[in-house]
Amino acid sequence: MTMMVAARAIATTTARSVVRSTRLPLQSPLLYVFAERKSHSHTLLIRQMSSEAPSVVTRLQSSGLFRSQGLIGGKWIDAYDGKTFKVHNPANGEVITNVPLMGKRETDDAISSAHDAFKSWSKLTAADRSNRLRKWYELLIAHKEELGQLITLEQGKPLKEAMGEVTYGASFIEFFSEEAKRVYGDIISPTLADRRLFVLKQPVGVVGVITPWNFPLAMITRKVGPALACGCTVVIKPAELTPLTALAAAELSLQAGIPAGVVNVVMGDAPAVGDAILASSQVRKITFTGSTAVGKKLMAGAAGTVKRVSLELGGNAPCIVFDDADVDVAVKGAIAAKFRNTGQTCVCANRIFVQEGIYEKFADAFSKAVQNLQVGDGFGEGVSLGPLINEAAVQKVEKFLQDATTKGAKVLLGGKRHSLGMTFFEPTVLTDVKNDMLLSREEIFGPVAPLLPFRTEEEAIALANDTNAGLAAYIFTNSIQRSWRVTEALEYGLVGVNEGLISTEVAPFGGVKQSGLGREGSKYGLDEYLELKYVCLGNMGGN
């Protein structure tokens, strides 16, 4: 029963994710969030896609990456009962395509396929796995524009930002292709002269990968990269709102020479798929990015077969701006931390605390910068913010705003649905926000920036830590002593000092408290997919 409840909760999970670290152009704080630099060719591409939006699907179909079937054992298949569901473009509500409504039977077969493939994939040399992952990375980069178009089409983020996600997502495959050759064991000094003691590291086995809609490529590669590098095989359940990017990435994995059954993709009936993953004794680990509520239920469901669990869960990120901060740096960093992906990431600055001495100055400069953010269809030139993912997301933002304004918060900028209609929302700045308001207690997951004043460093730390979440935090100060004091006092897994974009494949990503378990990315990310085996060789003193 617990497993069923956990699996059903997957269907309504709130997406979480992160973007790669880079510095922002001062004059355009969000337009080019990722490491991608503006180029003439990319500008032409954006103009072309904007003017020829109806042909995007046709263009993608001709590329061979537009897949609309599940992948099991290296074969593209429909749901066994022929049922499908629709994938929509959030910018206009149009149906992009239909994909299979898969369930328990298809998931069981995908698990069996992954289990069979594990026997051979785990026995390949690390160098062989490394070479195939490297080829996958090269194909992802070679098809960056097509993958970016696909992300914009089904998720809504601006095309430039989407192509940045491809670069970021591919970086995990590249990094773990290199780390595959660096999985080392240990030799332990024996306690008895005739013994030899060793520690081996071996792959966990089949991994259930459950990913969100807000970064439909990067959240897959950040999990699948280390899993495959260690010798594991995977069954991926992408979000029902954005399955097409996952299918395209899986297609490229096959082209890269990753054997059939190593990567499987099923989607559709989330409760049924989740039940199958939780119940299977062949699945030895679940890695999940999503809401804290769903993560708790997955933990309970995984207990039935004692699976390993990695969880990257919800956040309530504080952004603390001290009196001694460089206001220009703080404004640029806070906008980057708040508005990337239209505020739909787990590490978005959810609460912006500003010390009283510069509160008015910061609020004025911040609002002026936010006014320059252009809202529109992701294929439009110069667009900074795309639509929210669906109507439910808009209603949540409206609920939070109503709660705040009825309790005394003032709308300095925005505050309502955008004139473009659909799920577009105006970038919003609120002042006179209090710590007991709903948007201070829970993730907004939208383009709303609440500004809260504080007096002392101690007060800021107490306010920042007054939450069950502990994923990301940001501080802006020119004092090196303060930066150390506050960083050490903050109860968060990630801290950005004078920087709003801090994620990278070479650093560990994850939270404390109720923001999750385990770490993704970096050399530490491999440990989540490895088991330790102690070996004792006895009677080694004889002939």
Side-chain angles (χ1 to χ4, degrees):
M1 182 64 181
T2 302
M3 289 190 292
M4 183 177 297
V5 171
R8 286 174 178 164
I10 296 170
T12 56
T13 180
T14 302
R16 315 282 176 223
S17 59
V18 71
V19 292
R20 193 175 185 178
S21 176
T22 184
R23 293 196 174 272
L24 299 178
L26 182 60
Q27 73 277 16
S28 181
L30 238 210
L31 184 54
Y32 304 117
V33 167
F34 295 95
E36 288 292 311
R37 293 188 177 184
K38 184 176 182 181
S39 68
H40 180 64
S41 62
H42 286 158
T43 300
L44 289 177
L45 175 64
I46 291 171
R47 289 175 179 168
Q48 182 181 29
M49 298 307 297
S50 180
S51 62
E52 301 179 18
S55 67
V56 174
V57 173
T58 302
R59 195 187 307 271
L60 289 169
Q61 287 172 335
S62 66
S63 73
L65 296 183
F66 193 89
R67 290 287 183 177
S68 56
Q69 295 174 295
L71 179 64
I72 299 177
K75 297 180 180 179
W76 297 100
I77 66 168
D78 294 317
Y80 295 160
D81 60 7
K83 292 182 179 178
T84 63
F85 67 95
K86 295 177 174 61
V87 180
H88 293 88
N89 179 344
N92 56 28
E94 294 178 356
V95 175
I96 302 170
T97 190
N98 294 327
V99 295
L101 184 67
M102 294 176 160
K104 182 182 186 304
R105 288 194 297 152
E106 295 89 347
T107 306
D108 285 342
D109 286 351
I111 293 169
S112 295
S113 174
H115 185 259
D116 291 342
F118 174 73
K119 300 169 187 176
S120 56
W121 177 251
S122 60
K123 296 298 188 294
L124 293 180
T125 64
D128 194 347
R129 291 197 300 271
S130 173
N131 289 337
R132 296 178 197 228
L133 284 170
R134 179 72 193 188
K135 179 62 176 176
W136 191 14
Y137 159 75
E138 291 170 350
L139 287 171
L140 289 168
I141 293 299
H143 292 280
K144 179 173 65 177
E145 291 184 354
E146 296 98 320
L147 289 168
Q149 293 164 20
L150 194 54
I151 291 171
T152 296
L153 191 65
E154 67 173 350
Q155 199 275 335
K157 66 181 62 176
L159 181 58
K160 188 73 176 184
E161 192 173 331
M163 287 194 290
E165 182 186 340
V166 178
T167 301
Y168 175 60
S171 72
F172 288 105
I173 303 300
E174 179 186 35
F175 180 84
F176 286 110
S177 73
E178 298 159 348
E179 289 298 299
K181 297 177 287 186
R182 302 188 184 106
V183 178
Y184 304 137
D186 288 297
I187 298 175
I188 302 173
S189 296
T191 55
L192 298 174
D194 68 340
R195 292 186 179 184
R196 299 296 181 268
L197 312 181
F198 302 89
V199 174
L200 306 179
K201 291 185 178 181
Q202 296 180 309
V204 169
V206 177
V207 179
V209 177
I210 303 173
T211 59
W213 50 261
N214 53 353
F215 287 84
L217 178 68
M219 295 303 95
I220 288 175
T221 56
R222 197 166 72 182
K223 300 172 185 297
V224 174
L228 268 56
C230 292
C232 300
T233 55
V234 298
V235 176
I236 303 168
K237 192 209 83 67
E240 280 64 41
L241 294 169
T242 57
L244 303 180
T245 304
L247 297 173
E251 164 64 28
L252 291 176
S253 77
L254 294 176
Q255 294 182 23
I258 294 174
V262 173
V263 174
N264 304 272
V265 184
V266 293
M267 64 276 173
D269 184 348
V273 172
D275 275 342
I277 290 174
L278 287 169
S280 174
S281 60
Q282 292 181 335
V283 176
R284 297 308 311 141
K285 173 183 173 63
I286 290 178
T287 174
F288 168 74
T289 294
S291 72
T292 298
V294 174
K296 291 178 180 179
K297 292 172 182 176
L298 283 173
M299 286 185 68
T305 51
V306 195
K307 301 184 197 302
R308 294 182 63 174
V309 179
S310 295
L311 304 172
E312 193 259 289
L313 306 177
N316 188 6
C319 177
I320 307 172
V321 183
F322 289 98
D323 281 348
D324 61 5
D326 183 315
V327 172
D328 290 338
V329 170
V331 167
K332 185 175 65 173
I335 286 180
K338 171 68 254 184
F339 290 102
R340 60 179 172 272
N341 200 19
T342 318
Q344 298 174 115
T345 88
C346 61
V347 294
C348 279
N350 204 60
R351 301 168 292 158
I352 302 177
F353 298 104
V354 186
Q355 201 159 14
E356 288 181 342
I358 61 167
Y359 184 85
E360 296 298 333
K361 180 180 180 181
F362 178 87
D364 181 64
F366 183 77
S367 297
K368 288 178 180 177
V370 172
Q371 283 181 312
N372 293 326
L373 301 178
Q374 182 177 332
V375 179
D377 188 306
F379 288 115
E381 183 178 2
V383 169
S384 303
L385 304 179
L388 292 175
I389 189 63
N390 56 22
E391 177 62 22
V394 178
Q395 291 179 7
K396 178 183 177 182
V397 170
E398 290 178 326
K399 174 185 175 183
F400 280 34
L401 283 173
Q402 182 179 12
D403 174 81
T405 54
T406 56
K407 294 178 180 177
K410 296 178 182 177
V411 177
L412 196 61
L413 185 71
K416 62 183 184 299
R417 293 178 185 245
H418 199 278
S419 59
L420 290 171
M422 295 299 299
T423 58
F424 292 97
F425 203 90
E426 294 178 346
T428 299
V429 180
L430 296 178
T431 59
D432 296 337
V433 176
K434 303 296 189 298
N435 197 45
D436 62 347
M437 294 176 182
L438 194 57
L439 49 68
S440 295
R441 310 308 304 170
E442 300 179 23
E443 277 188 302
I444 303 166
F445 238 62
V448 178
L451 305 183
L452 299 85
F454 71 91
R455 293 182 179 179
T456 67
E457 179 179 309
E458 292 74 19
E459 180 187 4
I461 293 170
L463 288 169
N465 288 339
D466 184 21
T467 174
N468 289 329
L471 188 55
Y474 309 91
I475 63 175
F476 291 88
T477 176
N478 279 334
S479 167
I480 190 67
Q481 295 92 341
R482 170 174 277 165
S483 68
W484 273 107
R485 286 196 307 270
V486 177
T487 293
E488 291 176 349
L490 289 171
E491 299 169 349
Y492 291 84
L494 315 169
V495 179
V497 180
N498 295 325
E499 181 57 71
L501 294 170
I502 60 176
S503 288
T504 168
E505 74 279 6
V506 303
F509 182 94
V512 299
K513 298 197 285 189
Q514 294 187 28
S515 282
L517 301 171
R519 292 296 182 268
E520 295 185 330
S522 81
K523 66 177 184 179
Y524 304 104
L526 285 175
D527 295 339
E528 303 294 330
Y529 300 90
L530 293 167
E531 294 282 13
L532 298 182
K533 179 179 288 184
Y534 158 58
V535 180
C536 174
L537 300 181
N539 293 297
M540 296 295 288
N543 295 325

